[in-house]
Amino acid sequence: MPSRLGVGVDVGDLVGRVREGGAYFGVEELGGFPIMFRDRGREVEVLLRELGGVGVVYGPLGCGKSTFLRNFLRALGSVRDDVVAIYVNLEERALADSLRAYAINLGGGVMSALTRAFNNDIMPILSGTEPGLLVGIGRFFYDLVNELRVGRELRDRYVVLAFDELDKRFRTMLGVDWDVQVSYGVIEGEVLAYAGAIEEHSSVIYDNVRGLTVLFGFSDRAAVDIVKRNGPKGGLSSFLLWYLPREEFVGLVNDVVGRVPMPRPVDPVVLWELLGGNVRELAVLVLKYGWNVNGWLSGTVIRRVRDVIIHEATVRGVGVDSLLGKVADPDPLSAYLNLGGDYLLRMNVLIDIYGTTLSELPREPWVGGDYAYQLPAYYWVLRAMVNRSRIDVDPGDVINEVVRGAG
């Protein structure tokens, strides 16, 4: 259900404005520093063309989803005088951080109404622990337009509304870690509330605004599950955002080296094959491990893959060597079918490829037609384990697989 939001927009200008929003290199517990926002021209063009109805934007951990969504809405609100773009990050606690509104000549009355609706509907979600509070997401738009109905301040405007990190906030409310399987029925209800209203052309929407587009940003596979179950209702669709392409990633690495020099050179080919453009994991490598690839592989990657394989072997009641012997090469589909299936997805080792791909996916062995590794290093670790028929591999084994495979 694409809207007319892309009509008359200079895509090059929009891309430039997206990049002006900048980015941040770092992780929550380690800090970081501002960096230049790179690439995403294709993503801007595709999302602008497809914008309409209800969409879920998802991607692997570290793809820069939140930065992209925030910068995209900021840019869109600055190029069209008939758009009000509202970004809500549900992982931020303060109003100034969680709520961003972007529009040309946005009146004080609209901002006051927006703040009141936010305080009534969203703030309880940010500060509460009861998942039932998530109904405020479905009420938020309606409370906003009801506040403005008399003055009709939004009558001739498109509203583009983004709720980011909804799945993370839901898990925080439940008090569960990311690797615990949960039911996303509450979240699905809020997504479908908007999809149903848009499909039915609710008078509350179209008597008060020219059009409504709602985007949900997910880090979890909940996005894919919701869209698969509910199909095109209300223009419901999914958009996959991926990491930076190789050339832009190399440019980013050079920028970071200027701020945090490497103690010793790291082969750029090996760095790409292990990280595949993942900015967040690069930040972990740099800020936590001081560019020590072996330390990062041992402390983070090998341990994660080892735990997953042990868990799956235990559940199946088979030996680890027997489980590894089921595959000749752990390409994404083979890994899904033979090494863990949904558990690999839940543990963020694999990710579904479904719906519209905003990014051009790299032609690499860790990316398949239906699934991809969230971190290329997982593929190389598994390949080292499979080729050696054991889970006790070391960083040297992994690097050897990378060098042979990349060559």
Side-chain angles (χ1 to χ4, degrees), residues 244-260:
L244 290 177
R246 186 167 188 159
E247 183 177 345
E248 292 292 339
F249 182 68
V250 170
L252 171 64
V253 170
N254 291 335
D255 290 345
V256 173
V257 168
R259 297 286 297 271
V260 186

Side-chain angles (χ1 to χ4, degrees), residues 301-311 385 391-392:
V301 185
I302 295 174
R303 180 182 300 174
R304 165 73 62 80
V305 176
R306 187 177 184 278
D307 289 347
V308 168
I309 294 301
I310 290 175
H311 172 276
M385 291 177 175
I391 59 172
D392 293 321

Side-chain angles (χ1 to χ4, degrees), residues 250-325:
V250 170
L252 171 64
V253 170
N254 291 335
D255 290 345
V256 173
V257 168
R259 297 286 297 271
V260 186
M262 294 179 180
R264 60 187 60 84
V266 177
D267 187 335
V269 173
V270 171
L271 204 57
W272 164 258
E273 292 292 338
L274 292 173
L275 295 173
N278 185 326
V279 178
R280 188 186 189 281
E281 206 60 37
L282 175 64
V284 172
L285 171 64
V286 173
L287 301 175
K288 182 175 182 179
Y289 291 94
W291 292 103
N292 184 338
V293 173
N294 287 349
W296 169 72
L297 283 171
S298 297
T300 301
V301 185
I302 295 174
R303 180 182 300 174
R304 165 73 62 80
V305 176
R306 187 177 184 278
D307 289 347
V308 168
I309 294 301
I310 290 175
H311 172 276
E312 189 63 21
T314 302
V315 168
R316 297 189 190 189
V318 300
V320 168
D321 54 346
S322 174
L323 182 63
L324 293 174

Side-chain angles (χ1 to χ4, degrees), residues 123-172:
M123 192 58 76
I125 299 173
L126 305 184
S127 57
T129 58
E130 171 52 54
L133 293 169
L134 291 176
V135 297
I137 291 170
R139 290 200 305 257
F140 178 66
F141 171 78
Y142 296 95
D143 284 351
L144 173 63
V145 296
N146 282 333
E147 287 258 1
L148 300 169
R149 180 173 293 177
V150 175
R152 300 174 73 85
E153 290 94 336
L154 296 178
R155 183 64 183 86
D156 296 321
R157 300 246 198 177
Y158 291 98
V159 173
V160 182
L161 176 58
F163 295 106
D164 196 15
E165 306 289 20
L166 176 55
D167 54 333
K168 282 187 178 180
R169 184 64 202 141
F170 180 59
R171 284 184 171 276
T172 300

Side-chain angles (χ1 to χ4, degrees), residues 21-180:
Y24 186 79
F25 182 82
V27 287
E28 296 84 358
E29 65 274 19
L30 301 173
F33 47 84
I35 57 173
M36 180 177 70
F37 187 92
R38 287 185 167 273
D39 194 54
R40 300 309 192 190
R42 182 184 191 273
E43 289 83 347
V44 169
E45 185 173 2
V46 175
L47 186 56
L48 181 66
R49 182 177 67 239
E50 298 293 330
L51 209 57
V54 177
V56 289
V57 180
Y58 77 105
L61 295 170
C63 69
K65 168 186 55 63
S66 294
T67 301
F68 173 72
L69 280 175
R70 186 175 60 249
N71 286 7
F72 178 81
L73 264 68
R74 173 184 176 275
L76 187 63
S78 71
V79 298
R80 289 191 58 149
D81 59 8
D82 59 351
V83 169
V84 176
I86 303 168
Y87 173 83
V88 177
N89 189 310
L90 294 162
E91 276 292 277
E92 300 285 355
R93 295 303 181 92
L95 184 148
D97 297 323
S98 179
L99 175 65
R100 311 287 178 90
Y102 308 107
I104 299 173
N105 299 323
L106 189 62
V110 176
M111 282 304 303
S112 296
L114 185 56
T115 300
R116 286 193 293 272
F118 182 90
N119 286 333
N120 289 337
D121 300 323
I122 305 300
M123 192 58 76
I125 299 173
L126 305 184
S127 57
T129 58
E130 171 52 54
L133 293 169
L134 291 176
V135 297
I137 291 170
R139 290 200 305 257
F140 178 66
F141 171 78
Y142 296 95
D143 284 351
L144 173 63
V145 296
N146 282 333
E147 287 258 1
L148 300 169
R149 180 173 293 177
V150 175
R152 300 174 73 85
E153 290 94 336
L154 296 178
R155 183 64 183 86
D156 296 321
R157 300 246 198 177
Y158 291 98
V159 173
V160 182
L161 176 58
F163 295 106
D164 196 15
E165 306 289 20
L166 176 55
D167 54 333
K168 282 187 178 180
R169 184 64 202 141
F170 180 59
R171 284 184 171 276
T172 300
M173 286 177 143
L174 293 177
V176 298
D177 292 331
W178 53 267
D179 57 342
V180 177

